[in-house]
Amino acid sequence: MARPARVSPDRILAAAALEFAERGFAGARVDRIARRARVNKAMLYYHFKSKDGLYRTLLRRMFTLAAGRLRAIADASAPHADKVDRVIATMAAFVDEHAFFPAIMLREVADGGAHLDRETLTALAALPAAVGGIVQQGVRARAFRDTPPMFAYFSMLAPVIFYLAGARIRKEIAHLKVVDMRESSTDDFIRHMQHATRRSLARARHARTS
Amino acid sequence: MARPARVSPDRILAAAALEFAERGFAGARVDRIARRARVNKAMLYYHFKSKDGLYRTLLRRMFTLAAGRLRAIADASAPHADKVDRVIATMAAFVDEHAFFPAIMLREVADGGAHLDRETLTALAALPAAVGGIVQQGVRARAFRDTPPMFAYFSMLAPVIFYLAGARIRKEIAHLKVVDMRESSTDDFIRHMQHATRRSLARARHARTS
DNA sequence: CCATAAAAACTAACTGGTTAGTTAACTCGT
DNA sequence: ACGAGTTAACTAACCAGTTAGTTTTTATGG
Protein backbone atom coordinates (compact mmCIF):
# COMPACT_ATOMS: atom_id res chain seq x y z
CA MET A 1 0.00 0.00 0.00
CA ALA A 2 1.25 3.43 -0.91
CA ARG A 3 2.79 5.25 1.99
CA PRO A 4 0.86 8.43 2.69
CA ALA A 5 4.13 9.91 1.46
CA ARG A 6 4.41 11.94 4.61
CA VAL A 7 5.07 15.54 3.81
CA SER A 8 7.23 15.86 0.78
CA PRO A 9 9.50 18.86 0.88
CA ASP A 10 9.12 18.88 -2.87
CA ARG A 11 5.44 19.63 -2.56
CA ILE A 12 6.31 22.59 -0.35
CA LEU A 13 8.86 23.78 -2.88
CA ALA A 14 6.34 23.51 -5.70
CA ALA A 15 3.81 25.56 -3.76
CA ALA A 16 6.47 28.07 -2.79
CA ALA A 17 7.51 28.47 -6.42
CA LEU A 18 4.02 29.53 -7.40
CA GLU A 19 3.59 31.86 -4.46
CA PHE A 20 6.99 33.53 -4.81
CA ALA A 21 6.57 33.92 -8.56
CA GLU A 22 3.13 35.47 -8.19
CA ARG A 23 3.85 37.77 -5.27
CA GLY A 24 7.57 38.10 -4.82
CA PHE A 25 9.45 37.38 -1.62
CA ALA A 26 7.90 40.18 0.39
CA GLY A 27 4.40 39.58 -0.91
CA ALA A 28 4.50 35.82 -0.41
CA ARG A 29 2.72 34.50 2.67
CA VAL A 30 4.09 31.49 4.46
CA ASP A 31 0.58 30.48 5.51
CA ARG A 32 -0.53 30.52 1.91
CA ILE A 33 2.41 28.37 0.81
CA ALA A 34 1.57 25.88 3.54
CA ARG A 35 -2.09 25.82 2.57
CA ARG A 36 -1.24 25.38 -1.11
CA ALA A 37 1.05 22.50 -0.23
CA ARG A 38 -1.61 21.10 2.14
CA VAL A 39 0.92 21.00 4.93
CA ASN A 40 0.98 22.37 8.42
CA LYS A 41 2.93 25.60 8.51
CA ALA A 42 5.24 24.28 11.19
CA MET A 43 6.33 21.53 8.80
CA LEU A 44 7.57 24.16 6.50
CA TYR A 45 9.76 25.53 9.25
CA TYR A 46 10.77 21.99 10.11
CA HIS A 47 12.08 21.20 6.65
CA PHE A 48 13.39 24.64 5.77
CA LYS A 49 14.47 26.95 8.54
CA SER A 50 12.71 30.09 7.52
CA LYS A 51 10.96 31.86 4.71
CA ASP A 52 14.40 32.92 3.47
CA GLY A 53 15.65 29.37 3.73
CA LEU A 54 12.79 28.10 1.63
CA TYR A 55 13.28 30.83 -0.93
CA ARG A 56 16.96 30.24 -1.27
CA THR A 57 16.59 26.48 -1.56
CA LEU A 58 14.08 26.96 -4.33
CA LEU A 59 16.25 29.37 -6.25
CA ARG A 60 19.40 27.37 -5.84
CA ARG A 61 17.71 24.31 -7.33
CA MET A 62 16.25 26.27 -10.16
CA PHE A 63 19.47 28.02 -11.12
CA THR A 64 21.52 24.85 -10.82
CA LEU A 65 19.15 22.92 -13.05
CA ALA A 66 19.03 25.62 -15.72
CA ALA A 67 22.79 26.20 -15.65
CA GLY A 68 23.37 22.48 -16.07
CA ARG A 69 21.40 22.43 -19.27
CA LEU A 70 23.25 25.44 -20.62
CA ARG A 71 26.60 23.92 -19.79
CA ALA A 72 25.60 20.79 -21.66
CA ILE A 73 25.19 22.94 -24.75
CA ALA A 74 28.55 24.57 -24.21
CA ASP A 75 30.24 21.18 -23.94
CA ALA A 76 28.53 19.66 -26.95
CA SER A 77 30.15 19.77 -30.35
CA ALA A 78 28.04 21.74 -32.78
CA PRO A 79 28.44 24.82 -34.95
CA HIS A 80 28.68 27.92 -32.78
CA ALA A 81 25.58 29.51 -34.25
CA ASP A 82 23.60 26.34 -33.55
CA LYS A 83 24.68 26.42 -29.95
CA VAL A 84 23.29 29.90 -29.62
CA ASP A 85 20.00 28.76 -31.12
CA ARG A 86 19.93 25.97 -28.59
CA VAL A 87 20.60 28.29 -25.68
CA ILE A 88 17.50 30.24 -26.59
CA ALA A 89 15.38 27.16 -27.25
CA THR A 90 16.58 25.55 -24.04
CA MET A 91 15.63 28.52 -21.93
CA ALA A 92 12.20 28.58 -23.54
CA ALA A 93 11.77 24.87 -22.85
CA PHE A 94 12.95 25.34 -19.29
CA VAL A 95 10.33 28.01 -18.72
CA ASP A 96 7.77 25.72 -20.25
CA GLU A 97 8.52 23.20 -17.53
CA HIS A 98 8.96 25.78 -14.78
CA ALA A 99 6.48 28.49 -15.54
CA PHE A 100 7.39 30.38 -12.39
CA PHE A 101 11.00 30.87 -13.43
CA PRO A 102 10.82 34.14 -15.39
CA ALA A 103 8.84 36.06 -12.79
CA ILE A 104 11.24 35.04 -10.04
CA MET A 105 14.18 35.97 -12.23
CA LEU A 106 12.78 39.43 -12.94
CA ARG A 107 12.09 40.06 -9.28
CA GLU A 108 15.48 38.87 -8.22
CA VAL A 109 17.18 41.20 -10.66
CA ALA A 110 14.94 44.03 -9.50
CA ASP A 111 15.96 43.71 -5.90
CA GLY A 112 19.59 43.14 -6.58
CA GLY A 113 19.79 39.69 -5.06
CA ALA A 114 18.87 41.03 -1.66
CA HIS A 115 17.59 37.68 -0.39
CA LEU A 116 20.36 35.54 -1.81
CA ASP A 117 23.26 34.09 0.09
CA ARG A 118 26.64 33.49 -1.44
CA GLU A 119 25.85 29.97 -2.55
CA THR A 120 22.63 30.88 -4.32
CA LEU A 121 24.25 33.86 -5.96
CA THR A 122 26.97 31.57 -7.24
CA ALA A 123 24.34 29.25 -8.69
CA LEU A 124 22.72 32.21 -10.43
CA ALA A 125 26.07 33.37 -11.78
CA ALA A 126 26.44 30.04 -13.55
CA LEU A 127 23.79 31.12 -16.07
CA PRO A 128 25.63 34.09 -17.58
CA ALA A 129 28.85 32.14 -17.18
CA ALA A 130 27.61 29.29 -19.37
CA VAL A 131 26.11 31.52 -22.03
CA GLY A 132 29.09 33.83 -21.99
CA GLY A 133 31.35 30.84 -22.47
CA ILE A 134 29.47 29.75 -25.55
CA VAL A 135 29.70 33.19 -27.07
CA GLN A 136 33.37 33.36 -26.28
CA GLN A 137 33.97 30.04 -28.01
CA GLY A 138 32.39 31.47 -31.13
CA VAL A 139 34.32 34.71 -30.94
CA ARG A 140 37.63 32.92 -30.47
CA ALA A 141 36.86 30.62 -33.40
CA ARG A 142 36.13 33.71 -35.47
CA ALA A 143 32.63 32.44 -36.09
CA PHE A 144 31.16 35.46 -34.30
CA ARG A 145 32.12 39.07 -34.44
CA ASP A 146 33.95 40.32 -31.37
CA THR A 147 31.21 40.85 -28.78
CA PRO A 148 31.46 41.18 -25.02
CA PRO A 149 29.95 37.89 -23.78
CA MET A 150 27.81 39.63 -21.18
CA PHE A 151 26.31 41.89 -23.82
CA ALA A 152 25.34 38.88 -25.87
CA TYR A 153 23.92 37.20 -22.78
CA PHE A 154 21.62 40.12 -22.04
CA SER A 155 20.55 40.75 -25.58
CA MET A 156 19.64 37.14 -26.24
CA LEU A 157 18.02 36.09 -22.98
CA ALA A 158 16.47 39.21 -21.47
CA PRO A 159 13.79 39.37 -24.18
CA VAL A 160 12.97 35.70 -23.70
CA ILE A 161 12.56 36.06 -19.94
CA PHE A 162 10.70 39.34 -20.28
CA TYR A 163 8.38 38.07 -22.97
CA LEU A 164 7.53 34.90 -21.13
CA ALA A 165 7.09 36.59 -17.77
CA GLY A 166 4.96 39.23 -19.43
CA ALA A 167 2.21 36.91 -20.62
CA ARG A 168 -0.17 38.00 -17.88
CA ILE A 169 0.32 41.73 -18.27
CA ARG A 170 0.15 41.47 -22.08
CA LYS A 171 -3.21 39.81 -21.70
CA GLU A 172 -4.38 42.62 -19.41
CA ILE A 173 -3.23 45.22 -21.89
CA ALA A 174 -4.69 43.43 -24.88
CA HIS A 175 -7.95 43.36 -22.97
CA LEU A 176 -8.02 47.17 -22.90
CA LYS A 177 -7.99 47.28 -26.68
CA VAL A 178 -5.93 50.47 -26.75
CA VAL A 179 -2.97 48.79 -28.39
CA ASP A 180 -2.67 45.98 -30.83
CA MET A 181 -1.06 43.40 -28.58
CA ARG A 182 -2.09 40.57 -30.82
CA GLU A 183 -0.50 37.53 -29.40
CA SER A 184 1.65 35.59 -31.81
CA SER A 185 2.78 32.22 -30.67
CA THR A 186 5.62 31.90 -28.25
CA ASP A 187 7.34 29.62 -30.75
CA ASP A 188 7.35 32.45 -33.28
CA PHE A 189 8.93 34.74 -30.75
CA ILE A 190 11.61 32.22 -29.93
CA ARG A 191 12.39 31.85 -33.63
CA HIS A 192 12.53 35.62 -33.93
CA MET A 193 15.05 35.79 -31.10
CA GLN A 194 17.14 33.04 -32.64
CA HIS A 195 17.32 34.85 -35.94
CA ALA A 196 17.97 38.20 -34.35
CA THR A 197 20.76 36.77 -32.24
CA ARG A 198 22.35 35.01 -35.21
CA ARG A 199 22.33 38.20 -37.23
CA SER A 200 23.71 40.14 -34.30
CA LEU A 201 26.63 37.77 -33.78
CA ALA A 202 27.39 36.95 -37.40
CA ARG A 203 30.54 38.43 -38.80
CA ALA A 204 29.93 41.13 -41.41
CA ARG A 205 29.68 39.59 -44.85
CA HIS A 206 32.03 42.18 -46.33
CA ALA A 207 35.01 42.79 -44.11
CA ARG A 208 35.41 46.40 -43.17
CA THR A 209 38.60 48.14 -42.25
CA SER A 210 38.01 49.85 -38.98
CA MET B 1 1.48 84.26 -5.43
CA ALA B 2 2.35 80.60 -5.59
CA ARG B 3 1.55 78.80 -2.37
CA PRO B 4 4.76 77.22 -1.13
CA ALA B 5 2.51 74.16 -0.75
CA ARG B 6 4.32 73.31 2.41
CA VAL B 7 4.51 69.58 1.88
CA SER B 8 5.17 68.94 -1.74
CA PRO B 9 3.47 65.83 -3.04
CA ASP B 10 6.40 65.61 -5.44
CA ARG B 11 8.78 65.00 -2.61
CA ILE B 12 6.57 62.14 -1.47
CA LEU B 13 6.51 60.73 -4.99
CA ALA B 14 10.29 60.92 -5.23
CA ALA B 15 10.69 59.05 -1.96
CA ALA B 16 8.07 56.53 -3.01
CA ALA B 17 9.87 55.90 -6.28
CA LEU B 18 13.02 54.87 -4.47
CA GLU B 19 11.21 52.72 -1.96
CA PHE B 20 9.03 50.94 -4.51
CA ALA B 21 11.96 50.36 -6.83
CA GLU B 22 14.11 48.93 -4.08
CA ARG B 23 11.51 46.76 -2.40
CA GLY B 24 8.52 46.35 -4.67
CA PHE B 25 4.96 47.18 -3.77
CA ALA B 26 4.58 44.53 -1.09
CA GLY B 27 7.98 45.17 0.41
CA ALA B 28 7.65 48.94 0.48
CA ARG B 29 6.78 50.45 3.86
CA VAL B 30 4.62 53.52 4.02
CA ASP B 31 6.39 54.72 7.15
CA ARG B 32 9.70 54.50 5.38
CA ILE B 33 8.44 56.49 2.42
CA ALA B 34 7.16 59.17 4.80
CA ARG B 35 10.44 59.28 6.67
CA ARG B 36 12.43 59.48 3.43
CA ALA B 37 10.24 62.36 2.28
CA ARG B 38 10.52 63.96 5.73
CA VAL B 39 6.75 64.15 5.90
CA ASN B 40 4.24 62.96 8.42
CA LYS B 41 2.71 59.70 7.30
CA ALA B 42 -0.78 61.16 7.55
CA MET B 43 0.16 63.73 4.90
CA LEU B 44 0.83 60.89 2.55
CA TYR B 45 -2.70 59.64 3.11
CA TYR B 46 -3.99 63.18 2.76
CA HIS B 47 -2.46 63.70 -0.68
CA PHE B 48 -2.81 60.16 -2.01
CA LYS B 49 -5.54 58.04 -0.59
CA SER B 50 -3.65 54.88 0.05
CA LYS B 51 -0.47 53.01 -0.63
CA ASP B 52 -2.07 51.79 -3.86
CA GLY B 53 -3.07 55.32 -4.77
CA LEU B 54 0.47 56.54 -4.31
CA TYR B 55 1.89 53.68 -6.30
CA ARG B 56 -0.49 54.15 -9.17
CA THR B 57 0.04 57.89 -9.31
CA LEU B 58 3.77 57.35 -9.48
CA LEU B 59 3.55 54.78 -12.22
CA ARG B 60 1.05 56.73 -14.28
CA ARG B 61 3.37 59.76 -14.29
CA MET B 62 6.37 57.71 -15.15
CA PHE B 63 4.73 55.82 -18.00
CA THR B 64 3.14 58.94 -19.40
CA LEU B 65 6.43 60.81 -19.41
CA ALA B 66 8.36 58.01 -21.05
CA ALA B 67 5.66 57.33 -23.63
CA GLY B 68 5.60 61.02 -24.53
CA ARG B 69 9.26 60.95 -25.40
CA LEU B 70 8.87 57.84 -27.49
CA ARG B 71 5.92 59.32 -29.34
CA ALA B 72 8.02 62.39 -30.13
CA ILE B 73 10.46 60.10 -31.90
CA ALA B 74 7.66 58.43 -33.81
CA ASP B 75 6.33 61.79 -34.97
CA ALA B 76 9.70 63.20 -36.00
CA SER B 77 10.96 62.86 -39.51
CA ALA B 78 14.13 60.87 -39.65
CA PRO B 79 15.33 57.66 -41.30
CA HIS B 80 13.57 54.68 -39.78
CA ALA B 81 16.77 53.09 -38.56
CA ASP B 82 17.74 56.33 -36.83
CA LYS B 83 14.43 56.38 -35.03
CA VAL B 84 15.11 52.96 -33.65
CA ASP B 85 18.52 54.10 -32.45
CA ARG B 86 16.83 57.00 -30.75
CA VAL B 87 14.27 54.82 -29.06
CA ILE B 88 17.05 52.89 -27.41
CA ALA B 89 19.08 55.97 -26.53
CA THR B 90 16.00 57.72 -25.20
CA MET B 91 15.11 54.89 -22.89
CA ALA B 92 18.68 54.81 -21.61
CA ALA B 93 18.55 58.55 -21.00
CA PHE B 94 15.19 58.24 -19.30
CA VAL B 95 16.59 55.66 -16.93
CA ASP B 96 19.54 57.93 -16.31
CA GLU B 97 17.13 60.57 -15.05
CA HIS B 98 14.83 58.12 -13.29
CA ALA B 99 17.06 55.41 -11.94
CA PHE B 100 14.14 53.69 -10.26
CA PHE B 101 12.32 53.05 -13.53
CA PRO B 102 13.76 49.71 -14.62
CA ALA B 103 13.29 47.96 -11.30
CA ILE B 104 9.68 49.06 -11.10
CA MET B 105 9.11 47.95 -14.67
CA LEU B 106 10.55 44.51 -13.99
CA ARG B 107 8.45 44.08 -10.91
CA GLU B 108 5.30 45.23 -12.61
CA VAL B 109 5.79 42.74 -15.42
CA ALA B 110 6.51 40.02 -12.88
CA ASP B 111 3.25 40.50 -11.06
CA GLY B 112 1.16 40.95 -14.12
CA GLY B 113 0.01 44.47 -13.36
CA ALA B 114 -1.77 43.30 -10.22
CA HIS B 115 -1.70 46.75 -8.60
CA LEU B 116 -2.61 48.74 -11.68
CA ASP B 117 -5.99 50.23 -12.46
CA ARG B 118 -7.30 50.67 -15.97
CA GLU B 119 -5.87 54.15 -16.36
CA THR B 120 -2.36 53.23 -15.28
CA LEU B 121 -2.41 50.13 -17.43
CA THR B 122 -3.37 52.30 -20.38
CA ALA B 123 -0.45 54.60 -19.67
CA LEU B 124 1.86 51.60 -19.60
CA ALA B 125 0.44 50.30 -22.86
CA ALA B 126 1.51 53.53 -24.54
CA LEU B 127 5.14 52.39 -24.36
CA PRO B 128 4.86 49.32 -26.60
CA ALA B 129 2.34 51.21 -28.69
CA ALA B 130 4.82 53.99 -29.49
CA VAL B 131 7.72 51.65 -30.20
CA GLY B 132 5.53 49.28 -32.16
CA GLY B 133 4.34 52.20 -34.25
CA ILE B 134 7.87 53.18 -35.14
CA VAL B 135 8.72 49.66 -36.21
CA GLN B 136 5.55 49.45 -38.24
CA GLN B 137 6.42 52.68 -40.06
CA GLY B 138 9.70 51.13 -41.07
CA VAL B 139 8.15 47.86 -42.13
CA ARG B 140 5.51 49.61 -44.23
CA ALA B 141 8.17 51.78 -45.86
CA ARG B 142 10.10 48.59 -46.67
CA ALA B 143 13.04 49.92 -44.70
CA PHE B 144 12.76 47.02 -42.24
CA ARG B 145 12.07 43.39 -42.84
CA ASP B 146 8.59 42.26 -41.90
CA THR B 147 8.69 41.90 -38.12
CA PRO B 148 5.86 41.75 -35.62
CA PRO B 149 6.12 45.12 -33.84
CA MET B 150 5.76 43.56 -30.41
CA PHE B 151 8.65 41.20 -31.11
CA ALA B 152 10.83 44.14 -32.02
CA TYR B 153 9.69 46.00 -28.91
CA PHE B 154 10.72 43.17 -26.64
CA SER B 155 13.99 42.39 -28.34
CA MET B 156 15.16 45.99 -28.36
CA LEU B 157 14.02 47.22 -24.95
CA ALA B 158 13.99 44.20 -22.65
CA PRO B 159 17.80 43.98 -22.66
CA VAL B 160 18.11 47.68 -21.92
CA ILE B 161 15.73 47.51 -18.95
CA PHE B 162 17.23 44.27 -17.73
CA TYR B 163 20.79 45.43 -18.03
CA LEU B 164 20.15 48.73 -16.30
CA ALA B 165 18.04 47.21 -13.53
CA GLY B 166 20.66 44.55 -13.06
CA ALA B 167 23.52 46.84 -12.11
CA ARG B 168 23.24 45.92 -8.43
CA ILE B 169 23.09 42.18 -8.87
CA ARG B 170 25.90 42.26 -11.43
CA LYS B 171 28.05 43.99 -8.90
CA GLU B 172 27.20 41.31 -6.31
CA ILE B 173 28.08 38.56 -8.75
CA ALA B 174 31.26 40.24 -9.93
CA HIS B 175 32.23 40.46 -6.27
CA LEU B 176 32.13 36.66 -5.99
CA LYS B 177 34.76 36.36 -8.70
CA VAL B 178 33.30 33.13 -10.03
CA VAL B 179 32.41 34.69 -13.37
CA ASP B 180 33.99 37.35 -15.41
CA MET B 181 31.34 40.01 -15.06
CA ARG B 182 33.70 42.74 -16.06
CA GLU B 183 31.62 45.81 -16.34
CA SER B 184 31.84 47.59 -19.65
CA SER B 185 30.33 51.00 -19.80
CA THR B 186 26.59 51.41 -20.13
CA ASP B 187 27.20 53.51 -23.21
CA ASP B 188 28.92 50.57 -24.86
CA PHE B 189 25.98 48.37 -24.08
CA ILE B 190 23.55 50.88 -25.54
CA ARG B 191 25.61 51.03 -28.72
CA HIS B 192 25.65 47.25 -28.82
CA MET B 193 21.86 47.19 -28.61
CA GLN B 194 21.54 49.80 -31.30
CA HIS B 195 23.72 47.83 -33.68
CA ALA B 196 22.05 44.54 -32.83
CA THR B 197 18.62 46.03 -33.39
CA ARG B 198 19.62 47.60 -36.69
CA ARG B 199 21.00 44.31 -37.94
CA SER B 200 17.93 42.50 -36.76
CA LEU B 201 15.53 44.84 -38.56
CA ALA B 202 17.57 45.48 -41.69
CA ARG B 203 16.32 43.85 -44.85
CA ALA B 204 18.59 41.11 -46.15
CA ARG B 205 21.20 42.57 -48.47
CA HIS B 206 20.58 39.93 -51.11
CA ALA B 207 16.92 39.38 -51.68
CA ARG B 208 15.91 35.80 -51.11
CA THR B 209 13.04 34.01 -52.67
CA SER B 210 11.11 32.48 -49.85
C1' DC C 1 9.70 -11.60 16.43
C1' DC C 2 8.72 -8.50 19.91
C1' DA C 3 9.32 -4.80 23.30
C1' DT C 4 10.84 -0.39 23.82
C1' DA C 5 12.90 3.85 23.49
C1' DA C 6 14.62 7.42 20.81
C1' DA C 7 14.16 10.14 16.75
C1' DA C 8 11.52 12.09 13.19
C1' DA C 9 7.22 13.83 11.49
C1' DC C 10 3.38 16.29 12.49
C1' DT C 11 -0.42 19.48 14.59
C1' DA C 12 -3.31 23.35 16.80
C1' DA C 13 -2.91 27.19 19.10
C1' DC C 14 -0.30 30.95 20.41
C1' DT C 15 2.93 35.25 20.45
C1' DG C 16 4.86 39.49 19.69
C1' DG C 17 6.45 42.63 16.52
C1' DT C 18 4.93 45.07 12.39
C1' DT C 19 2.09 47.72 9.32
C1' DA C 20 -1.64 50.16 6.63
C1' DG C 21 -4.68 53.20 7.73
C1' DT C 22 -7.39 56.53 11.22
C1' DT C 23 -8.43 60.14 14.37
C1' DA C 24 -8.84 64.12 16.99
C1' DA C 25 -6.76 68.04 17.90
C1' DC C 26 -3.77 71.98 16.45
C1' DT C 27 -1.76 75.83 13.27
C1' DC C 28 -2.14 79.53 10.42
C1' DG C 29 -3.34 82.38 6.47
C1' DT C 30 -7.29 84.82 4.69
C1' DA D 1 -14.17 81.99 12.02
C1' DC D 2 -13.29 78.84 8.45
C1' DG D 3 -10.83 75.37 6.01
C1' DA D 4 -6.64 73.46 3.99
C1' DG D 5 -2.57 71.56 5.88
C1' DT D 6 -0.25 69.23 9.56
C1' DT D 7 0.79 66.35 13.64
C1' DA D 8 1.35 62.63 17.40
C1' DA D 9 -0.80 58.99 18.97
C1' DC D 10 -3.73 55.26 18.22
C1' DT D 11 -5.86 50.79 16.39
C1' DA D 12 -7.05 46.63 14.26
C1' DA D 13 -5.36 43.29 11.36
C1' DC D 14 -1.71 40.68 9.83
C1' DC D 15 2.10 37.57 9.71
C1' DA D 16 6.73 35.15 10.55
C1' DG D 17 8.06 32.26 13.63
C1' DT D 18 7.37 29.31 18.18
C1' DT D 19 5.78 26.02 21.40
C1' DA D 20 4.02 22.21 23.76
C1' DG D 21 2.37 18.25 22.90
C1' DT D 22 0.86 13.93 19.79
C1' DT D 23 1.66 10.33 16.51
C1' DT D 24 4.47 7.62 13.45
C1' DT D 25 8.83 5.55 12.07
C1' DT D 26 13.09 3.50 12.95
C1' DA D 27 16.84 1.54 15.51
C1' DT D 28 18.25 -1.74 19.17
C1' DG D 29 18.66 -5.56 22.35
C1' DG D 30 16.88 -9.85 23.86
Side-chain angles (χ1 to χ4, degrees), chain B residues 14-69:
Chain B
L18 295 178
E19 178 77 4
F20 285 129
E22 275 172 23
R23 321 244 184 185
F25 181 81
R29 296 294 164 240
V30 176
D31 291 84
R32 204 154 35 202
I33 294 172
R35 189 153 34 78
R36 280 180 157 185
R38 278 163 311 172
V39 150
N40 188 289
K41 179 168 60 153
M43 282 313 293
L44 192 152
Y45 283 92
Y46 179 75
H47 287 293
F48 309 91
K49 291 184 191 203
S50 60
K51 190 186 179 183
D52 282 85
L54 175 58
Y55 186 70
R56 291 201 270 252
T57 304
L58 172 69
L59 265 63
R60 217 178 308 130
R61 280 196 179 202
M62 216 167 68
F63 294 148
T64 304
L65 185 58
R69 297 205 191 163

